[in-house]
Amino acid sequence: GASVELRNVVKYYANQRALNGVNLSMAPGEFVALLGPSGCGKTTVLRALSGLESVTEGQIRIDDTDVVNTPVNKRDIGMVFQAYSLFPHMTVLQNVEFGLRMRRVDAASRRRRASESLDMVGLASFGGRYAHQLSGGQQQRVALARALVTRPRVLLLDEPLSALDAKVRVQLRDEIRRIQTDLGITTLFVTHDQEEALAVADRVAVMREGNIEQIGTPEDLYTKP
Ligand code: ADP
Ligand code: ADP
């Protein structure tokens, strides 16, 4: 994984301020949860880091490269969103291969790497199915396989569990964490669920009104109110 640094990131949408000078440093391989209520700016932080959204001010570094002017497809980032993000007209395997096809990886390598990626999320035998034939949890596993197939240096997860029922949510959370640790991929995980953030992350960044107000390990946040 890469190191990630946001320094004094400000974001306005028209004249509405969404981020008010966000600072965040992540070590290579670290899993950080970004926790806070709806509207506090979590998704905007993720979109700024991915390049889906430009920033008004500030610096964003991945390893030692300033990526503020680097386009989305050159930032070497994998992303998983809330739900319904698979292409419905493609099979599971075609979905997972997609990022490799965009990079013009040859068909045989695509197939091999997509199969490895599906195997990693426990869906090796599901390659021929379509999204509508999968449960919500399975769809999110496929989305994770698709995000990781290009072996990105950073993984961004935007409430990937919020559409799932409680039992699946806990299972998939633990599985995401296991895969993340195996791969050593630097991961930022957006959630509004405090229990989830504390259970899964190395550190939790607590956001409020466009700022990170507090950041620490789950133990720190429990013992230092
Ligand atoms: P969260 O992910 O914590 O729910 P967001 O990052 O989605 O928060 O939103 C932060 C603030 O920016 C909110 O006030 C939201 O309404 C606003 N916002 C987000 N996206 C846009 C947009 N595309 N245009 C205008 N305002 C936006
Ligand atoms: P989240 O679940 O992260 O809070 P929202 O439902 O707030 O997301 O937003 C969904 C989409 O709408 C996002 O792409 C966000 O950028 C956009 N959005 C959010 N708030 C606004 C807004 N006030 N004006 C325009 N677009 C917005």
Side-chain angles (χ1 to χ4, degrees):
S3 62
V4 171
E5 184 169 17
L6 279 75
R7 205 178 295 168
N8 208 20
V9 172
V10 174
K11 172 66 182 179
Y12 279 82
Y13 292 107
N15 55 8
Q16 144 123 27
R17 190 169 60 195
L19 300 181
N20 185 20
V22 169
N23 290 292
L24 175 65
S25 293
M26 295 171 66
E30 195 176 22
F31 192 123
V32 174
L34 196 53
L35 172 70
S38 184
C40 73
K42 304 181 298 296
T43 296
T44 301
V45 169
L46 235 62
R47 291 173 63 85
L49 190 47
S50 68
L52 289 170
E53 202 73 68
S54 66
V55 300
T56 310
E57 237 179 76
Q59 291 179 328
I60 302 176
R61 286 175 185 281
I62 298 177
D63 281 338
D64 285 324
T65 312
D66 188 332
V67 296
V68 159
N69 295 310
T70 306
V72 180
N73 59 348
K74 297 276 164 58
R75 287 197 190 188
D76 206 7
I77 281 175
M79 282 179 275
V80 177
F81 303 98
Q82 272 186 18
Y84 315 113
S85 56
L86 300 180
F87 302 117
H89 60 291
M90 293 183 193
T91 65
V92 163
L93 199 61
Q94 287 167 340
N95 265 280
V96 177
E97 283 183 6
F98 184 76
L100 300 174
R101 182 141 20 99
M102 292 295 102
R103 286 161 194 236
R104 310 200 183 285
V105 174
D106 68 84
S109 308
R110 276 199 326 252
R111 188 56 47 107
R112 179 178 49 76
R113 287 171 63 180
S115 299
E116 283 169 9
S117 206
L118 272 179
D119 195 27
M120 187 175 66
V121 299
L123 292 177
S125 64
F126 286 69
R129 298 207 194 182
Y130 289 86
H132 71 90
Q133 299 172 311
L134 304 177
S135 70
Q138 289 169 338
Q139 290 185 37
Q140 290 304 74
R141 283 165 199 254
V142 175
L144 182 65
R146 185 177 63 180
L148 293 172
V149 76
T150 59
R151 298 176 195 146
R153 292 181 302 167
V154 177
L155 178 63
L156 304 180
L157 306 168
D158 194 356
E159 306 241 14
L161 308 174
S162 64
L164 307 174
D165 61 42
K167 186 166 162 238
V168 177
R169 206 152 64 218
V170 170
Q171 282 171 355
L172 192 49
R173 165 183 102 194
D174 293 346
E175 190 166 339
I176 287 172
R177 181 65 223 224
R178 179 183 58 72
I179 291 167
Q180 185 274 342
T181 303
D182 282 354
L183 297 178
I185 186 169
T186 312
T187 298
L188 190 57
F189 174 91
V190 161
T191 181
H192 60 262
D193 182 334
Q194 175 174 307
E195 194 264 330
E196 190 168 281
L198 292 169
V200 79
D202 295 318
R203 285 192 301 156
V204 177
V206 184
M207 261 195 104
R208 210 171 80 97
E209 293 178 3
N211 266 311
I212 293 177
E213 285 206 324
Q214 201 182 8
I215 182 163
T217 64
E219 295 73 25
D220 285 341
L221 296 182
Y222 266 126
T223 53
K224 293 179 216 141

